[in-house]
Structure formats: structure tokens, C-alpha cells
């Protein structure tokens, strides 16, 4: 024998003389207390540990199932995250609704939604949602009133998830909040998990919710743990999208402001005609064009006679009106394509005729 391989522990199924199968644990080791080594074997009936072993097996099976579910959900969530990060801003809402659908179907929810609130927390609007049954379940209205309740406002004044269910053994405040949320929901719910979304100034700007309407759909603790991580990811994605929209709006405002400044830089504020800068720019362009095509350029310089005496006698307001009328006549006269009528300075006007 090789005592390095001892003791030996084996578990097998034995058969009783009456025909019953018995789980048995066998342990064999060597007793060196005497000069002559003795082999000692211990048989143990495992039936008394059957309940404990069954529980261990069930716990192991549940842990394995939860682990496999977590792996599958992580793959799903990673795919959804990539789509949310890579999609165009105009496609973000449909991609978010597809994400809500994937999460709702995986975690056995019936209604998933994201709502937006106005600044004074009096009205809300739907931003994205998924319903398990489009034909049987009503959508959130595009605009709806938020219950004017201090309890409701208090619940949405922090980022803690609100867990709502029809539990009679709750405080009056909880029951009031449950009823208010039930009335606001277009389909009601059996249970709902609502997480407020706050701005940088800790003001509620929206919420994300996951509701169960079918009593056969129940979420396990492991599914709730998965949902908690998912909720924060969706809130971060929405916040990123809002920042992108604000950035694009600011960029568009800047483009509009630059366009207005460009127009102001090349136009005379009094007459509305292109100014001296526009004249210089246009004249260079026409000279270049004439040189390329071996053609001519016509330039008219117009001056209002005795304008200074008119302006001194009738006043500056009348002088400005006079300039505006002359500019209107010139603009209506020289309005063909390529013709440029400008105010050269003071009471002088210049017209470029290609």
C-alpha cells in the first residue's frame, strides 16, 4: 500500500438487504499507534444529512443560475450601452426604447418608462417607454399633470429608488404616495420601482420607472440587483444625451450669432444697403471675374447734391429719412443678378454693374 494516498474519502450508493438505496460515505485511513499498521474504515449513513445536502444543492443551483443570468445580462447591457453611445442624437430615443424593451423582457417587467418634468414640477411629459402589450396597455400621455403633493415632491427630491407595492401594512405617507403614483400611471401597477433623476442643482428633472402589472411576473432579488446597476447606466446615458443636445444648441446659437454679425459687418444699419466693406469685397470679385472672362466692369458713383444744407436746415432725422428714400430708389432700380448697390459713405452711393 502507499500511505501517501491515505486517508481516502469516497461517497457511494449502497443497497440495503431490503432493497433500499442508501447514500454512504466511506473514509479509510491508517492507524500508526501500534507497531503493526492497521487500516481503519468508517462508514457513515448520509440519510440524516439529506436535508442539509439538498439545501446545499439547491443553493448551489440557485447561485449557478443567478451567475449565468448575470453573465447573460452583462452581455445584453454591454450591447445596449454600445448602441446608446454610438447612435446619432436624433436616433437616441428609439435606441433607448429598444434598450428598455430588452431590459423589461429580460427582467420580467411589463412597463418601462422615462419621464421628464418641467421646472416647477407641475407637469411631466413622456420621453421614452416600452409596454409589453401595445394593444392592451395605454401609453403615458405626451403631457400630464403631476400631483401637487408635498409627499410626492419629497419622494422625488433625492435619488433614492422608490419601491411601491400594494402593501396594507405601510405608513399613511407611503399609502398616499402609492395612490398618487397609481393615479399618474395610465395602467396602474402591482409593483413599481421609480428612480428620480436630478439636475446638477439637485432639482428633479425626470424619473425612470419599471412596473409590473401581471401578478405572474415577479422579480427575484438577483434581478433587482441587476436592475439597480442598469438604472444608473440609463440615467447617465440620458444625462450625456442632454449635454449633447445643449452643446448642439449652443453651437447653433453661435452659428446664428456669427451669421448675424457677418450680415451686420457687411450692411449699413441706416439704409439696409451693403456698406463700404461689402463694396470693396464685391469690386475685387468683379475685377477678377472680368479679367478671367476678358470683359468689362461698370461702376457708378452717386452723390446727393446740397445734402449738407438739407441736413442742417431740416435736421438729422429728416436727413436720415432722405438717405433711406434714395437708397430705396437705387435698390429697386439696380436689382438684377450680380448688380451690387452700396452706400459708399455719407451721402455717397456706389453701384457695381458687371
Amino acid at each position: 500500500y502507499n500511505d501517501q494516498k491515505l486517508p481516502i474519502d469516497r461517497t457511494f450508493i449502497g443497497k440495503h438487504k431490503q432493497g433500499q438505496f442508501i447514500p454512504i460515505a466511506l473514509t479509510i485511513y491508517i492507524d500508526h499507534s501500534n507497531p503493526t499498521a492497521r487500516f481503519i474504515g468508517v462508514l457513515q449513513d448520509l440519510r440524516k444529512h439529506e436535508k442539509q445536502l439538498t439545501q446545499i444543492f439547491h443553493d448551489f443551483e440557485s447561485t449557478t443560475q443567478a451567475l449565468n443570468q448575470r453573465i447573460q445580462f452583462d452581455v445584453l447591457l454591454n450591447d445596449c450601452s454600445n448602441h446608446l453611445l454610438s447612435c446619432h442624437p436624433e436616433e437616441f430615443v428609439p435606441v433607448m426604447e429598444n434598450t428598455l424593451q430588452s431590459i423589461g423582457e429580460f427582467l420580467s417587467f411589463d412597463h418601462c418608462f422615462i419621464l421628464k418634468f418641467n421646472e416647477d414640477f407641475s407637469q411631466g411629459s413622456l420621453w421614452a417607454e416600452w409596454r409589453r402589450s401595445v394593444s392592451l396597455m395605454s401609453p403615458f400621455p405626451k403631457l400630464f399633470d403631476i400631483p401637487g403633493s408635498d409627499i410626492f415632491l419629497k419622494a422625488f427630491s433625492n435619488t433614492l429608488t422608490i419601491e411601491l407595492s400594494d402593501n396594507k401594512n405601510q405608513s399613511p405617507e407611503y399609502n398616499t404616495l402609492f395612490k398618487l403614483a397609481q393615479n399618474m400611471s395610465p395602467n396602474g401597477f402591482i409593483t413599481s420601482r421609480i428612480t428620480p433623476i436630478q439636475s446638477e442643482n439637485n432639482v428633479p428633472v425626470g424619473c425612470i420607472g419599471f412596473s409590473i402589472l401581471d401578478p405572474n411576473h415577479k422579480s427575484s432579488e438577483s434581478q433587482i440587483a441587476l436592475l439597480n446597476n442598469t438604472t444608473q447606466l440609463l440615467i447617465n446615458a440620458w444625462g450625456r444625451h442632454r449635454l449633447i443636445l445643449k452643446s448642439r444648441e449652443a453651437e447653433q446659437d453661435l452659428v446664428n450669432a456669427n451669421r448675424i454679425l457677418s450680415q451686420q459687418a457687411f450692411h449699413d444699419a441706416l439704409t439696409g444697403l451693403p456698406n463700404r466693406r461689402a463694396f470693396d469685397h464685391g469690386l475685387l470679385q468683379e475685377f477678377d471675374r472680368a479679367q478671367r472672362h476678358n470683359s468689362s466692369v461698370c461702376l457708378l458713383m452717386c452723390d446727393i447734391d446740397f445734402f449738407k444744407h438739407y441736413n442742417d436746415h431740416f435736421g438729422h432725422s429728416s436727413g436720415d429719412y432722405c438717405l433711406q428714400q434714395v437708397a430705396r430708389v437705387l435698390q429697386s432700380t439696380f436689382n438684377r443678378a450680380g448688380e451690387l448697390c452700396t452706400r459708399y459713405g455719407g451721402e455717397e452711393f456706389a453701384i457695381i454693374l458687371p
Side-chain angles (χ1 to χ4, degrees):
Y1 64 89
N2 186 354
D3 58 358
Q4 298 299 323
K5 296 181 180 179
L6 297 178
I8 299 175
D9 292 314
R10 295 288 186 271
T11 302
F12 58 91
I13 302 297
K15 189 174 182 180
H16 194 269
K17 63 182 180 179
Q18 296 180 355
Q20 299 175 344
F21 289 98
I22 303 173
I24 298 175
L26 171 64
T27 302
I28 300 177
Y29 62 94
I30 299 178
D31 182 9
H32 293 285
S33 59
N34 296 316
T36 304
R38 295 186 303 170
F39 289 93
I40 300 177
V42 178
L43 290 175
Q44 186 177 8
D45 187 349
L46 297 179
R47 285 178 295 180
K48 62 180 180 179
H49 302 293
E50 184 175 357
K51 290 184 179 180
Q52 182 180 0
L53 292 174
T54 302
Q55 184 63 43
I56 293 174
F57 174 76
H58 287 322
D59 292 343
F60 175 78
E61 191 176 43
S62 299
T63 303
T64 303
Q65 183 178 1
L67 181 60
N68 291 334
Q69 186 182 49
R70 176 61 183 265
I71 294 173
Q72 295 174 8
F73 189 74
D74 285 345
V75 173
L76 170 68
L77 201 60
N78 183 63
D79 184 59
C80 292
S81 300
N82 291 335
H83 282 87
L84 289 172
L85 292 174
S86 61
C87 70
H88 195 271
E90 277 73 19
E91 301 173 348
F92 188 80
V93 173
V95 172
M96 177 61 80
E97 290 181 336
N98 291 336
T99 300
L100 292 177
Q101 177 180 355
S102 300
I103 294 172
E105 291 177 343
F106 192 95
L107 299 180
S108 300
F109 286 100
D110 300 312
H111 193 193
C112 308
F113 53 86
I114 301 178
L115 306 178
K116 294 190 297 184
F117 303 147
N118 62 356
E119 294 182 357
D120 60 358
F121 197 64
S122 62
Q123 287 186 321
S125 59
L126 176 65
W127 189 68
E129 76 170 340
W130 169 77
R131 292 166 285 153
R132 183 174 294 275
S133 175
V134 178
S135 59
L136 299 178
M137 297 173 60
S138 301
F140 267 99
K142 293 183 179 179
L143 190 66
F144 56 90
D145 293 330
I146 297 176
S149 168
D150 293 338
I151 296 177
F152 207 79
L153 178 60
K154 179 182 177 181
F156 282 84
S157 296
N158 55 67
T159 58
L160 298 178
T161 298
I162 307 167
E163 301 181 21
L164 298 174
S165 61
D166 190 10
N167 191 338
K168 303 299 183 182
N169 299 324
Q170 295 289 345
S171 64
E173 181 176 328
Y174 177 92
N175 293 331
T176 301
L177 181 61
F178 176 81
K179 292 179 181 178
L180 291 174
Q182 278 271 20
N183 295 333
M184 192 175 71
S185 175
N187 304 288
F189 53 81
I190 296 176
T191 61
S192 185
R193 296 177 60 85
I194 302 174
T195 303
I197 304 174
Q198 294 190 339
S199 66
E200 300 80 4
N201 301 323
N202 297 325
V203 176
V205 295
C207 69
I208 178 170
F210 300 88
S211 299
I212 294 178
L213 285 70
D214 189 344
N216 296 322
H217 294 163
K218 296 182 179 180
S219 298
S220 62
E221 293 183 1
S222 60
Q223 289 176 321
I224 297 302
L226 297 177
L227 181 62
N228 291 336
N229 296 333
T230 305
T231 301
Q232 192 57 50
L233 183 144
L234 297 181
I235 292 176
N236 293 339
W238 186 38
R240 176 180 176 272
H241 177 66
R242 291 175 64 232
L243 290 176
I244 291 175
L245 293 182
K246 288 182 179 180
S247 176
R248 295 185 67 186
E249 291 176 0
E251 183 179 351
Q252 187 60 44
D253 291 342
L254 181 60
V255 170
N256 295 336
N258 288 334
R259 184 172 61 251
I260 293 173
L261 289 175
S262 177
Q263 292 174 351
Q264 292 175 348
F266 284 89
H267 281 77
D268 177 58
L270 178 62
T271 62
L273 293 177
N275 58 15
R276 172 68 179 274
R277 179 179 296 179
F279 168 79
D280 294 338
H281 181 72
L283 188 61
L284 288 175
Q285 285 186 326
E286 292 304 326
F287 271 127
D288 290 341
R289 184 180 293 111
Q291 288 178 345
R292 289 196 305 270
H293 297 88
N294 195 23
S295 60
S296 60
V297 177
C298 180
L299 175 62
L300 301 180
M301 299 297 296
C302 306
D303 184 79
I304 303 176
D305 292 337
F306 308 111
F307 179 75
K308 184 178 186 307
H309 298 291
Y310 180 88
N311 197 45
D312 293 341
H313 180 75
F314 292 101
H316 293 288
S317 297
S318 298
D320 291 344
Y321 181 74
C322 174
L323 290 173
Q324 291 171 345
Q325 294 302 311
V326 172
R328 188 174 294 111
V329 171
L330 293 175
Q331 183 69 57
S332 61
T333 303
F334 303 101
N335 56 8
R336 294 185 303 173
E339 295 180 343
L340 182 62
C341 182
T342 67
R343 183 185 179 189
Y344 192 76
E347 69 275 17
E348 295 176 329
F349 298 86
I351 301 98
I352 302 175
L353 304 175

